[in-house]
Amino acid sequence: MSNQPKTAEDLYHFLDELGIRHVTKHHEPVFTVAESVALRDEIPGGHTKNLFVKDKKDRFFLLTVEENAVVDLKTVHTLIGAASKVSFGKPEKLMDYLGVIPGSVTVFGAINDTGHNVTFVLDKDLMQHDIINGHPLSNDATTSIGRDDLLRFLEATGHTPLVLKVTA
């Protein structure tokens, strides 16, 4: 079917090629925002929560918001241009499109979305932070990059992210 998903090392190499400064801290695997809170003192910046959702026409979206933000899944479709209310995407599609498993969902998965199957939505509040943190394709590390560099990274993967207020 598709090629093997890219690894964290592939991601770092890609960021280096773009001249994007990045710092990665390795830690125990974390599967939820609650588990990752212990790392806050060690990793400055905006910490992310990612929601992989789809509409009835099988259009997929990755909503990247601040870790404690609330997204109203009943109404967010009106903000992101979805064809209908959204529901969570299946783990198989998450792997096919972003190359990650549940618990490791990340905006950096854009590097694996070579078919441009996913629309990336960055919450406006998250983008107030100078530094944005996300998993480097696995949940045993956190990679920090600048806000503007995150936009450059997404553009370099062929994605033009939507920066919208999608949180309550």
Side-chain angles (χ1 to χ4, degrees):
M1 190 169 149
S2 63
N3 302 333
Q4 281 291 98
K6 291 186 172 49
T7 64
E9 291 305 316
D10 295 328
L11 172 66
Y12 306 146
H13 182 72
F14 186 71
L15 292 171
D16 290 342
E17 283 181 346
L18 293 171
I20 292 177
R21 188 174 170 279
H22 55 95
V23 176
T24 298
K25 177 160 185 52
H26 295 271
H27 49 69
E28 288 298 309
V30 290
F31 293 91
T32 64
V33 166
E35 289 177 357
S36 66
V37 168
L39 303 168
R40 291 304 157 260
D41 295 341
E42 302 172 39
I43 305 172
H47 293 269
T48 55
K49 169 168 66 178
N50 294 276
L51 306 174
F52 181 65
V53 298
K54 69 179 232 25
D55 67 12
K56 294 265 188 280
K57 291 189 173 176
D58 281 338
R59 290 177 49 220
F60 289 82
F61 301 83
L62 185 72
L63 310 177
T64 300
V65 303
E66 211 163 6
E67 63 183 348
N68 296 314
V70 175
V71 176
D72 184 349
L73 289 178
K74 291 184 181 73
T75 60
V76 75
H77 67 284
T78 62
L79 303 171
I80 62 174
S84 65
K85 287 186 179 173
V86 297
S87 58
F88 286 103
K90 300 261 183 283
E92 302 81 50
K93 291 294 185 191
L94 191 56
M95 179 53 77
D96 286 352
Y97 295 159
L98 300 182
V100 295
I101 58 170
S104 297
V105 185
T106 174
V107 68
F108 293 123
I111 197 171
N112 285 310
D113 184 29
T114 54
H116 304 104
N117 296 294
V118 179
T119 298
F120 289 82
V121 181
L122 304 173
D123 187 57
K124 203 171 211 149
D125 289 353
L126 174 68
M127 297 305 283
Q128 300 302 309
H129 291 276
D130 292 334
I131 303 289
I132 309 289
N133 298 293
H135 290 310
L137 308 173
S138 65
N139 65 356
D140 59 354
T142 298
T143 296
S144 309
I145 70 171
R147 168 192 55 230
D148 296 340
D149 288 336
L150 176 59
L151 296 172
R152 274 195 18 211
F153 161 77
L154 285 167
E155 293 280 353
T157 65
H159 297 87
T160 301
L162 303 175
V163 179
L164 303 167
K165 173 102 172 100
V166 294
T167 53

